[in-house]
Amino acid sequence: MNDHFCAFSFVDRIHPGKAPNHIRGSYLVPAGVCAFPASLAAEAVGQLAAWAAMDAVNYERRPVAGIASRFELLNSPQPGQLLDLSVDIETIDSDAIAYSGTASANGVPLIHLEHCVGPMVAVADFDDPQALRERFALLCGSGATPGRFGGIPPLIPDRIGGEPGSSATAVFQVPTNGAFFADHFPRRPVFPGSLLMHAKLELARALASEAPPAPGGAWVLSAVLDMKLRAFIPPGKILDMEARFTDRSSESSTIALETRSGERSMGSARVLMTSTPIP
Amino acid sequence: MTRTEITQDEINVIFPKVAETMADALGCDVAKVKPNASLIDDLGAESIDFLDIVFRLERAFKVKIPRGKIVEEARGTLSEAEFEKGGVVTAAGLQRLKEFLSEVPAERFGSSLQVASIPRLFTPETFCKIVIRQQRSAPAAATPAA
């Protein structure tokens, strides 16, 4: 099976927006996948923005993951849901796209992205421009056949140290192969920034569970702030991760996340957590 | 107005907000953001950080910053051929660059400067001046009809 436009593509249809800088789309989460993390809903919004950007510059450039000032996790996406995607574009040019966007299901917002910036790179280094052009026409017309996403493998960093309840260090090996690499991207496989975020959030959740806000309470991940991806991550790359509490009160806490390859920072983010009673 | 030289007072007025914006983008303490620090060599900025800084400054100051055109603007009236040869800034180009980036200490320019290395010269004050230029060139607010 050809995994291009299947294994890591999260827009089935594209619709005109209500304003020139607004674009809408939809994606049906296959009912058969065991989970669909919030980071993939964010990926879907980012991919809708990417389609708008590529079409605007005649498929000569494409955006890649770069910056998300704020990524709000409002409700968990579920298998079988039809995601309504919405993007408001601030600017598109040959250097970057800036946008905000939302994914919702049945009128209920799932995630919201605020002030995202995707640096533009040459399309031809990553994908076939003509195939992308034809795919965009399909998405804007009859739409893609839904249900071709088969899920993602477990992406759990291996904890190696830190101070329990305060910080955690881990090693994360990017998979050496995976169907998603054929789609992201066909000419140059790159580990998706959304999956890196998913792995980092797993580490943040593990750390948060060690230091609950109060007896009978738990930290719930509410937003990721100042998320930045600094470099392309190839298959098989071994990364060092660190999660560290930076602020903590009885109502909220912040965990700083850093990913490195040797001395080089590959990405960073801050996770905002709010205290919630355990039912 | 747009042609007048940017004064130190104008820079001083906006510098605290520029420094705060850069500290947020770079994830560093605002005290580290000195007016003449090299964004790349002293503050560790990478290309993604420059994008971040530009978009944050646009939002903070409600201006549009011409991304990727800073070097073009620095060139002024010089043609591309007058400004650089084989990727190296010419003597005339260097002279023009020193005038445009007057906030950058002279020794940082060196005697031979690659065009690709020009961003290494940029400082927080460089971006203060860019913001001020864009504020000056923004259309004046509409005057209500009498």
Side-chain angles (χ1 to χ4, degrees):
Chain A
M1 176 177 155
N2 182 357
D3 286 315
H4 196 194
F5 300 131
C6 299
F8 207 72
S9 290
F10 303 110
V11 179
D12 290 336
R13 296 199 72 147
I14 293 176
H15 316 283
K18 59 191 175 200
N21 290 338
H22 182 243
I23 184 167
R24 294 183 305 118
S26 60
Y27 177 70
L28 179 64
V29 180
V33 295
C34 56
F36 194 80
S39 57
L40 290 186
E43 174 75 33
V45 172
Q47 288 188 6
L48 180 62
W51 280 116
M54 287 188 286
D55 193 59
V57 297
N58 197 27
Y59 300 89
E60 290 176 4
R61 315 271 291 168
R62 68 153 300 138
V64 291
I67 298 163
S69 297
R70 189 177 182 92
F71 164 26
E72 292 177 8
L73 297 96
L74 305 168
N75 290 284
S76 298
Q78 301 296 325
Q81 279 182 330
L82 180 67
L83 305 188
D84 295 312
L85 311 172
S86 169
V87 167
D88 288 298
I89 294 162
E90 294 164 31
T91 61
I92 298 176
D93 58 33
S94 59
D95 288 331
I97 176 174
Y99 66 95
S100 297
T102 300
S104 57
N106 300 316
V108 177
L110 303 176
I111 64 103
H112 178 67
L113 292 172
E114 193 72 28
H115 295 313
C116 298
V117 177
M120 299 282 249
V121 296
V123 161
D125 292 344
F126 293 82
D127 212 327
D128 174 7
Q130 185 56 27
L132 289 167
R133 198 176 278 114
E134 289 167 8
R135 179 71 174 185
F136 183 73
L138 175 75
L139 295 177
C140 293
S142 58
T145 306
R148 300 168 80 184
F149 170 62
I152 52 170
L155 299 167
I156 312 289
D158 289 330
R159 186 90 171 255
I160 57 167
E163 190 179 328
S166 176
S167 66
T169 54
V171 170
F172 178 70
Q173 167 137 32
V174 173
T176 50
N177 51 49
F180 52 82
F181 282 127
D183 201 9
H184 193 281
F185 299 95
R187 291 183 179 174
R188 181 179 173 184
V190 172
F191 189 58
S194 54
L195 294 187
L196 180 68
M197 195 67 240
H198 174 66
K200 287 159 75 165
L201 293 182
E202 291 292 326
L203 185 63
R205 282 193 182 95
L207 176 62
S209 70
E210 297 169 358
W219 294 121
V220 173
L221 201 155
S222 58
V224 183
L225 311 176
D226 298 325
M227 189 166 67
K228 194 177 286 187
L229 189 61
R230 296 181 173 279
F232 292 122
I233 299 174
K237 187 88 173 170
I238 294 173
L239 301 170
D240 298 314
M241 289 183 174
E242 182 179 19
R244 180 180 296 277
F245 274 105
T246 53
D247 295 301
R248 194 165 10 183
S249 71
S250 55
E251 290 85 32
S252 66
S253 66
T254 306
I255 291 177
L257 296 169
E258 181 76 31
T259 305
R260 294 188 165 275
S261 172
E263 291 298 305
R264 170 115 163 81
S265 173
M266 305 297 275
S268 55
R270 291 182 295 129
V271 180
L272 190 61
M273 299 195 151
T274 49
S275 172
T276 305
I278 297 174
Chain B
M1 182 67 185
T2 54
R3 296 292 176 196
T4 57
E5 204 163 302
I6 293 169
T7 67
Q8 194 58 50
D9 282 350
E10 285 177 286
I11 291 169
N12 291 346
V13 166
I14 68 163
F15 177 74
K17 196 168 174 181
V18 170
E20 192 183 331
T21 304
M22 289 186 166
D24 287 345
L26 297 169
C28 70
D29 194 307
V30 71
K32 280 186 72 178
V33 185
K34 307 285 187 201
N36 289 332
S38 162
L39 283 164
I40 292 177
D41 294 331
D42 298 329
L43 298 174
E46 300 180 359
S47 57
I48 188 77
D49 297 312
F50 279 101
L51 265 185
D52 197 6
I53 286 168
V54 164
F55 278 105
R56 283 174 188 262
L57 289 174
E58 286 189 347
R59 289 198 295 273
F61 290 96
K62 310 248 180 308
V63 293
K64 295 303 289 180
I65 294 175
R67 291 185 308 282
K69 292 186 181 165
I70 299 173
V71 173
E72 197 175 302
E73 200 174 325
R75 213 170 70 205
T77 54
L78 293 181
S79 68
E80 202 171 335
E82 290 169 323
F83 186 76
E84 60 121 334
K85 277 194 173 60
V88 179
V89 180
T90 61
L94 207 54
Q95 184 57 38
R96 165 66 195 156
L97 210 49
K98 284 178 180 173
E99 290 164 13
F100 186 79
L101 300 175
S102 58
E103 69 281 3
V104 178
E107 65 273 15
R108 286 198 201 150
F109 288 87
S111 54
S112 175
L113 180 67
Q114 298 279 332
V115 174
S117 296
I118 292 175
R120 301 195 90 86
L121 299 169
F122 294 166
T123 67
E125 194 167 320
T126 306
F127 280 87
C128 288
K129 288 164 68 177
I130 291 168
V131 168
I132 292 166
R133 277 190 209 101
Q134 296 310 115
Q135 285 177 325
R136 286 177 173 185
S137 64
T143 308

